Amino acid sequence: MVEKVIPIRLDEGKGLVPSIPNQLRAANDLTTDTRGRPLRDLRISVTDRCNFRCTYCMPKEVFDQNYPYLSQKELLSFEEITRLSSIFATLGVEKIRLTGGEPLLRKNLEILVEMLAKIRTIDGNPLDLTLTTNGSVLRKKAAALKAAGLHRLTISLDGLNDDIFKKMNDVDFPVTDVLDGIAAAQEAGFTNLKVNMVVKKGTNDQEIIAMAKHFKGSGITLRFIEFMDVGSSNGWDMSQVLPSQEVANRINEFFPIEPIEANYAGEVAQRWRYLDGSGEIGFISSVTQTFCHECTRARISTDGQLYLCLFANSGFDFKTLLRSGKSDLEIANAVMSTWAARDDHYSEIRGSNTVKTSDTRKVEMSYIGG
Ligand code: SAM
Ligand code: SF4
Ligand code: SF4
């Protein structure tokens, strides 16, 4: 039985107040945090709602009909998201990932994509614009997203066996419809697709080899994610985590693989390739092999709070700042000083005495995105 929690977002309006320094600096003054990490990626949750109830993310017992989802006026508008994203781009952000909840449930999302596609980085390049989806409505949306300027897509799929997948999504959603969404994305012209599989030991780890076999040679990169202790409601415990190394060992028995170099510093997934040349797989091992030391990611929640870590228990209220008539330069300076004070490195101290039980009410993943 999952313990009923009071969701953190009830603290709405009580987010930390970002401070605007008296002396404003030029907005393209790149800032590193207290651990020397620059700000490069922004993840934006465009809705806290989802049509799935994945047991590791939005368990039914908590996210039921009484759950206090955000109202329309509490969400950042497309104009506010675009303004904030432009400000982040002037501060060195090069990549934006739209997420949720299920981002494709946000009405007219392709219009937001079109607005974001016009933003340029400090170097004058378009942003690397990407989106993570459960794939359920991708058949309907893929072509419009491509036309709007979305570069890349990641689709989540936790198994190929219908019974196991339905047990994970907990809403009886069939595998075939997600596979059809992936096909639709390919037909729309998306290349370099990625598929994310969260591995929960004892629940879907028997699907690892079938998934590897299915995507091997397809041009789609399958990535295995360790089940994480995000949020406060998914009943996480270490015994349900299958370390990436064990996943790699299992795959290696059937299809020999070897590790390869990261594409860039701070890449979340460790890359491996099949020795027979039939493609790549990835591992996101935030429990057993932490990567906080090169974490360059900031997150904006559905209602405009800036979170400095996936495991944070409070955010900085940029929505109020956006709606208070402050200039772009003032907001940019508030972001810079918030980032400069960042010390977050949760995965490195998970389980240590530094993380006290009273501190552990963390923000839900559906509210700030994965
Ligand atoms: N609804 C979309 C989806 O499922 O792709 C986007 C949002 S979802 C929160 C983003 C990613 O986080 C998904 O790939 C999901 O599998 C992953 N995720 C959610 N909860 C997780 C957990 N407890 N541990 C590891 N990954 C998790
Ligand atoms: Fe929804 Fe994605 Fe969370 Fe599953 S992982 S409940 S699809 S937001
Ligand atoms: Fe980044 Fe926080 Fe994850 Fe560490 S735990 S990698 S700081 S989001």
Side-chain angles (χ1 to χ4, degrees), residues 209-225:
I209 302 302
M211 286 284 281
K213 191 171 173 193
H214 183 86
F215 290 106
K216 190 174 177 290
S218 68
I220 296 173
T221 304
L222 175 61
R223 307 189 311 173
F224 299 92
I225 308 183

Side-chain angles (χ1 to χ4, degrees), residues 4-5 52-53 107 115 118 151 169 186 193 195 210 213 223-224 232 244 248-249 264 268 286 298 303 307 312 335:
K4 184 101 181 171
V5 294
F52 284 15
R53 285 292 172 275
K107 218 171 151 205
M115 291 161 79
K118 296 196 178 105
H151 295 158
N169 66 52
Q186 288 175 313
L193 291 177
V195 166
K213 191 171 173 193
R223 307 189 311 173
F224 299 92
S232 307
S244 290
N249 293 347
Y264 53 91
V268 176
S286 44
D303 61 348
Y307 282 83
V335 175

Side-chain angles (χ1 to χ4, degrees), residues 321-340:
L321 211 58
L322 282 170
R323 294 182 181 176
S324 67
K326 299 291 179 204
S327 70
D328 285 2
L329 187 61
E330 286 173 304
I331 295 172
N333 271 266
V335 175
M336 283 193 274
S337 57
T338 305
W339 187 263

Side-chain angles (χ1 to χ4, degrees), residues 90-300:
T90 65
L91 297 175
V93 163
E94 294 166 347
K95 176 172 165 185
I96 290 189
R97 178 176 295 278
L98 299 177
T99 175
E102 175 44 45
L104 299 187
L105 295 188
R106 179 87 185 246
K107 218 171 151 205
N108 300 325
L109 189 77
E110 56 280 10
I111 294 178
L112 175 64
V113 170
E114 206 175 313
M115 291 161 79
L116 296 176
K118 296 196 178 105
I119 298 175
R120 293 293 172 265
T121 66
I122 292 176
D123 300 328
N125 298 316
L127 291 166
D128 180 11
L129 211 50
T130 166
L131 178 143
T132 307
T133 173
N134 62 23
S136 57
V137 291
L138 203 46
R139 167 59 64 191
K140 271 200 228 133
K141 289 278 190 177
L145 291 169
K146 180 74 183 160
L150 188 70
H151 295 158
R152 296 188 295 118
L153 264 175
T154 300
I155 300 108
S156 302
L157 177 62
D158 297 330
L160 289 171
N161 174 296
D162 238 3
D163 290 341
I164 293 173
F165 183 54
K166 287 179 177 177
K167 204 169 152 192
M168 297 292 276
N169 66 52
D170 217 7
V171 292
D172 240 16
F173 200 87
V175 172
T176 45
D177 288 15
V178 179
L179 293 177
D180 184 54
I182 295 173
Q186 288 175 313
E187 288 158 26
F190 284 101
T191 51
N192 301 326
L193 291 177
K194 294 194 175 97
V195 166
N196 279 353
M197 172 180 179
V198 175
V199 180
K200 235 178 134 180
K201 193 171 169 179
T203 309
N204 70 334
D205 57 321
Q206 63 273 52
E207 286 296 285
I208 291 169
I209 302 302
M211 286 284 281
K213 191 171 173 193
H214 183 86
F215 290 106
K216 190 174 177 290
S218 68
I220 296 173
T221 304
L222 175 61
R223 307 189 311 173
F224 299 92
I225 308 183
E226 287 177 350
F227 173 39
M228 289 187 285
D229 48 336
V230 281
S232 307
S233 59
N234 70 6
W236 184 88
D237 76 77
M238 191 65 203
S239 68
Q240 294 171 299
V241 177
L242 187 68
S244 290
Q245 187 57 56
E246 274 190 48
V247 179
N249 293 347
R250 284 195 201 180
I251 293 173
N252 192 48
E253 275 178 37
F254 288 83
F255 313 114
I257 49 174
E258 65 178 6
I260 51 175
E261 286 288 301
N263 278 319
Y264 53 91
E267 190 170 25
V268 176
Q270 292 156 306
R271 301 169 62 207
W272 289 57
R273 73 167 160 236
Y274 293 106
L275 290 185
D276 66 5
S278 58
E280 265 186 44
I281 50 174
F283 295 95
I284 302 177
S285 325
S286 44
V287 179
T288 64
Q289 296 167 49
T290 61
F291 40 79
C292 298
H293 61 285
E294 44 188 26
C295 177
T296 55
R297 282 176 296 286
R299 293 176 159 84
I300 301 286

Side-chain angles (χ1 to χ4, degrees), residues 37 291-292 295 297 299 309-311 342 344-347:
R37 300 168 295 189
F291 40 79
C292 298
C295 177
R297 282 176 296 286
R299 293 176 159 84
C309 175
L310 182 53
F311 300 94
R342 175 184 190 242
D344 301 66
H345 56 134
Y346 175 84
S347 284

